[in-house]
Amino acid sequence: MSIFHQMAGGDYEQLVFCQHRETGLKAIIAIHDTTLGPALGGTRMWPYRSEEEAVVDVLRLARGMTYKAAVAGLPLGGGKAVIIGDPARDKTDALLRFYGGFVDTLKGRYITAEDVGTCQGDMDIIHRETAHVTGCDPAGGGGGGDPSPFTARGVLYGIKASVKKRYGVDSLRNLVIAVQGIGHVGFNLCRMLAGEGARLVVADINARALQRAVGEFGAVAVPADAIYKARCDVFAPCALGAVVNDRTLDQFRCTIIAGAANNVLAEERHGHALRRRGILYVPDYVINAGGLINVADELHGYQRKRVDERVARIYNTVLEIIATSEAEEISTHRAADMLAEQRIKQAGIFKKTACREVPKVG
Ligand code: NAD
């Protein structure tokens, strides 16, 4: 694998390898693009089978963050970090502190947060070594706390915008919404949907989580594999990625797919296939940006009102993306990418113009 070839292919700015022998730290930080601002993205700890797998993952995830921040209208670029190791076995305070030290050497070009395999407590430890971390204990000051309710709120706005577009109504009353995964986001989303009068069909591999949704919201529970076939208006994936794939594509009986899960489409071509089938897909990174909006606000002195306003903008962004997809006859995920690329390009032109005005030294 040629790393420079991969970086050039995706237009990556920087890839940083960090190791510390005594603690066993092996981390890779990828900075994709800082045109709009410093690169914000979580630190994932995962027992990658190879270094190559870790590099591929960190590059893919960092690029995704650039697009997500741009579409959410945040003054941030995209980055991500991975620590190679099993969080249950290899994660120690010392390892996290050395990792925090490496983050600090980047002087704010990369700002970290929690991700799969890391949690708020880990961010508190990293914070001892660097100021360039978000999602720390809100009691320690400045933090916005659990991002999941904000993610769920953004998904609700995205569902409402797509329902408005598809059915011409503002209300979700009596619409049937199938929610896959009743975890941190899914449960909050179910509560909001039930509050709006929607009828819920739910699935989860965790029987307790499922029963909670049945008991609290009168949801109808179905087996995990049956959720794709559920007759519904909206299918909201809030569990796993790649749920729109060759196996599930023909099973969907919904008219809209809009949920919190990352990487919903197994491959790009599945987005085109949904469009051909007349299913409106709301791109994952557009609709699930509420959590990012919440942690990003910590960088400017956390203000709940500002977060709520930014999350609410997801409604109009979704309408804009659907309008572009219709006008250009392209899939919605391509329309979302175009919006992100346009915002980055505009900012880049502005920066280059500003640079030309700086007199040369010497
Ligand atoms: P979570 O782990 O709290 O919940 C996931 C739920 O899905 C769990 O209840 C789990 O039992 C269930 N699940 C797992 N496999 C399943 C299957 N095959 N069928 C049905 N249910 C299954 O995670 P979360 O924080 O609620 O996040 C949900 C999704 O949203 C993830 O894909 C995550 O990457 C994405 N996301 C979350 C946030 C956030 O703020 N938490 C932000 C952006 C994106």
Side-chain angles (χ1 to χ4, degrees):
M1 170 180 58
S2 159
I3 289 181
F4 277 113
H5 183 73
Q6 279 200 50
M7 288 178 72
D11 229 356
Y12 290 87
E13 290 182 12
Q14 199 175 1
L15 195 62
V16 184
F17 289 77
C18 320
Q19 84 79 34
H20 183 253
R21 195 155 46 89
E22 281 79 21
T23 57
L25 172 70
K26 284 188 195 136
I28 311 171
I29 300 170
I31 297 177
H32 175 245
D33 190 289
T34 56
T35 308
L36 294 172
L40 175 67
T43 297
R44 178 166 294 195
M45 187 163 185
W46 192 254
Y48 292 100
R49 279 166 302 183
S50 67
E51 289 169 12
E52 185 174 353
E53 192 182 59
V55 169
V56 168
D57 206 31
V58 78
L59 289 176
R60 178 181 64 86
L61 292 166
R63 190 163 190 271
M65 292 306 295
T66 299
Y67 281 71
K68 188 165 173 167
V71 167
L74 296 169
L76 289 171
K80 202 87 178 185
V82 296
I83 297 177
I84 302 173
D86 180 345
R89 198 189 56 204
D90 306 321
K91 195 163 66 180
T92 60
D93 287 11
L95 177 141
L96 290 170
R97 288 189 72 160
F98 274 99
Y99 169 66
F102 280 115
V103 171
D104 200 57
T105 62
L106 293 168
K107 297 184 172 20
R109 265 176 64 69
Y110 168 67
I111 302 163
T112 198
E114 68 175 82
D115 198 81
V116 176
T118 58
C119 60
Q120 182 194 290
D122 299 335
M123 297 308 116
D124 293 336
I125 295 167
I126 290 169
H127 191 226
R128 289 191 221 155
E129 305 300 327
T130 182
H132 308 300
V133 51
T134 57
C136 298
D137 182 2
D146 179 8
S148 308
F150 299 92
T151 304
R153 175 71 56 192
V155 173
L156 179 73
Y157 283 121
I159 289 176
K160 284 186 147 191
S162 53
V163 162
K164 174 79 177 173
K165 183 69 208 168
R166 183 99 315 168
Y167 301 120
V169 294
D170 292 313
S171 165
L172 301 182
R173 183 155 296 280
N174 287 328
L175 290 187
V176 179
I177 303 190
V179 182
Q180 179 189 43
I182 315 300
H184 289 97
V185 180
F187 185 79
N188 279 294
L189 179 65
C190 283
R191 187 182 17 226
M192 292 170 193
L193 292 170
E196 299 267 340
R199 290 188 283 144
L200 300 174
V201 178
V202 292
D204 198 298
I205 50 169
N206 177 338
R208 232 179 26 192
L210 201 56
Q211 276 318 309
R212 227 179 129 202
V214 172
E216 294 200 24
F217 312 123
V220 174
V222 297
D225 238 25
I227 193 85
Y228 305 109
K229 295 195 263 284
R231 234 174 246 292
C232 59
D233 298 291
V234 182
F235 170 65
C238 296
L240 319 157
V243 291
V244 179
N245 55 46
D246 290 338
R247 190 176 61 82
T248 59
L249 204 53
D250 288 328
Q251 298 186 32
F252 290 114
R253 295 190 187 159
C254 55
T255 52
I256 295 166
I257 296 182
N262 281 311
N263 305 316
V264 165
L265 305 175
E267 293 171 47
E268 277 231 16
R269 65 186 170 86
H270 294 115
H272 306 306
L274 286 178
R275 184 166 182 271
R276 282 196 299 274
R277 281 168 169 72
I279 297 176
L280 174 56
Y281 167 62
V282 183
D284 44 15
Y285 70 80
V286 178
I287 195 172
N288 73 14
L292 173 66
I293 292 169
N294 187 54
V295 292
D297 208 78
E298 292 178 25
L299 303 170
H300 310 281
Y302 186 77
Q303 283 179 27
R304 173 66 194 262
K305 190 167 168 281
R306 184 169 55 201
V307 172
D308 289 342
E309 282 167 6
R310 281 207 159 128
V311 174
R313 283 187 215 154
I314 290 176
Y315 183 93
N316 281 337
T317 305
V318 169
L319 287 181
E320 187 182 339
I321 286 165
I322 297 171
T324 305
S325 112
E326 288 176 349
E328 306 279 333
E329 298 186 2
I330 53 174
S331 61
T332 46
H333 68 282
R334 183 63 208 125
D337 286 358
M338 277 167 55
L339 177 62
E341 285 158 9
Q342 196 185 340
R343 286 187 176 166
I344 294 163
K345 196 172 161 199
Q346 268 167 4
I349 291 167
F350 173 75
K351 269 192 181 170
K352 275 184 196 143
T353 317
C355 279
R356 255 186 251 129
E357 285 162 11
V358 177
K360 284 209 172 82
V361 179

